[in-house]
Amino acid sequence: MSRKSVFLLAATVVMLYFSIILFMLSPLHGAKSIVTGSIYMDYGLKAHGFPAENMTDGSVLIVKTHGVPPLDSESYKFHSAVLLIRNPRDAILADYNRLYKGHIGTAPKYVFKKRSPNSKISDWAAHVYQQLRDWEGLHYKWLSQFPGAIHIVFYEVLVRETRKELNKILQFLNYTVSEEDMNCAMLNKEGIYRRKKKFQDFDPYTKDMYKGLDKIRQRILRLINVYQKKNNVTFVGLKGYL
């Protein structure tokens, strides 16, 4: 597949909210532009370092989505995918923080006990159990239904070994950058969208929630193992992640 004809769909967990614009090394209008797009239009992101929001054509290197793979053959234009997986415990909590305090804020403790009228459980508990189903369903569909090649990246490994993981992603994309570009990416890898861990001693998850987390993680682990064997690929970080 030629690079020009390949559009890559970056799949992240629904509630991840970690920047998938991994290679934004210069602005769109620069002499050399390496940017990634998105199926969404977040004007806040567009104004603060993500100039290719809502761009899904060949002018961007890769396209972000938090959703399931598009399977409509007539309109299908994405032939490969980078699947960025984050531990569901952290992903679900990050999304709950986002719901109450945006991209970088932290939800106050009292909202974890809040309960809607006529509900038998807290809003937090309802959120967790719904997102557990969504998290598993999203990964199941990508790993079992997407017909193209998939490169899996584990969020925790990406954070810990950013340069190495970026090089692997670039290799999968069949795209080469200079050492200067990579150094620039490393220098600016965090940006402004970093949530402060305000409550270090606060764990909103119950024992039953942890049991649910462990069950879906193990099911996705088995599915990833099946995918690896079927496609003769190996994803680094799998054992440490799950």
Side-chain angles (χ1 to χ4, degrees):
M1 296 182 292
S2 67
R3 191 169 66 212
K4 287 185 178 180
S5 65
V6 178
F7 296 88
L8 291 113
L9 187 64
T12 64
V13 285
V14 172
M15 45 290 190
L16 179 60
Y17 292 93
F18 172 75
S19 169
I20 195 64
I21 301 187
L22 302 174
F23 316 112
M24 200 168 77
L25 309 177
S26 57
L28 268 178
H29 52 74
K32 181 180 179 182
S33 297
I34 307 175
V35 294
T36 63
S38 171
I39 68 170
Y40 313 104
M41 173 52 85
D42 186 319
Y43 290 98
L45 294 179
K46 188 175 180 68
H48 295 93
F50 296 80
E53 277 289 291
N54 201 227
M55 296 182 66
T56 62
D57 58 20
S59 65
V60 295
L61 179 61
I62 198 168
V63 179
K64 178 186 74 173
T65 179
H66 296 295
V68 297
L71 301 176
D72 183 351
S73 59
E74 292 185 1
S75 62
Y76 193 75
K77 63 180 179 180
F78 300 106
H79 304 297
S80 304
V82 175
L83 182 61
L84 181 58
I85 303 178
R86 187 178 187 181
N87 188 311
R89 179 195 181 280
D90 299 326
I92 293 171
L93 180 57
D95 189 48
Y96 204 65
N97 284 321
R98 179 194 64 84
L99 290 173
Y100 282 92
K101 289 294 182 177
H103 288 295
I104 60 175
T106 302
K109 290 183 179 180
Y110 75 86
V111 302
F112 292 89
K113 297 180 180 180
K114 179 183 174 184
R115 185 162 60 185
S116 298
N118 303 320
S119 176
K120 295 181 179 180
I121 60 176
S122 67
D123 293 351
W124 163 243
H127 177 82
V128 169
Y129 293 122
Q130 179 60 55
Q131 295 291 7
L132 282 174
R133 292 189 290 270
D134 290 345
W135 189 93
E136 181 178 15
L138 178 74
H139 293 87
Y140 176 82
K141 289 179 179 178
W142 276 100
L143 292 166
S144 64
Q145 298 179 9
F146 183 66
I150 293 178
H151 177 70
I152 292 179
V153 179
F154 295 100
Y155 173 88
E156 292 75 14
V157 179
L158 178 63
V159 172
R160 186 173 65 248
E161 301 176 24
T162 306
R163 182 184 290 268
K164 182 186 295 185
E165 290 302 305
L166 284 183
N167 279 320
K168 290 178 183 177
I169 295 170
L170 287 167
Q171 185 177 5
F172 176 74
L173 298 177
N174 191 29
Y175 195 89
T176 303
V177 301
S178 68
E179 189 65 21
E180 181 182 2
D181 286 335
M182 180 59 72
N183 289 337
C184 180
M186 293 299 298
L187 184 64
N188 298 281
K189 65 179 182 178
E190 290 189 359
I192 65 171
Y193 290 100
R194 182 177 179 84
R195 180 172 285 109
K196 296 180 180 180
K197 296 181 179 179
K198 188 175 181 180
F199 305 123
Q200 298 288 349
D201 59 343
F202 178 61
D203 184 356
Y205 288 94
T206 64
K207 289 183 179 179
D208 286 340
M209 291 177 183
Y210 274 115
K211 288 180 181 178
L213 286 165
D214 186 61
K215 285 182 180 179
I216 66 164
R217 290 168 66 197
Q218 292 303 319
R219 285 199 288 262
I220 295 302
L221 168 61
R222 290 192 289 269
L223 188 58
I224 294 174
N225 280 325
V226 169
Y227 184 90
Q228 288 186 132
K229 292 177 181 178
K230 181 179 179 181
N231 295 278
N232 193 29
V233 293
T234 300
F235 301 117
V236 177
L238 180 60
K239 292 183 178 179
Y241 168 67
L242 293 173

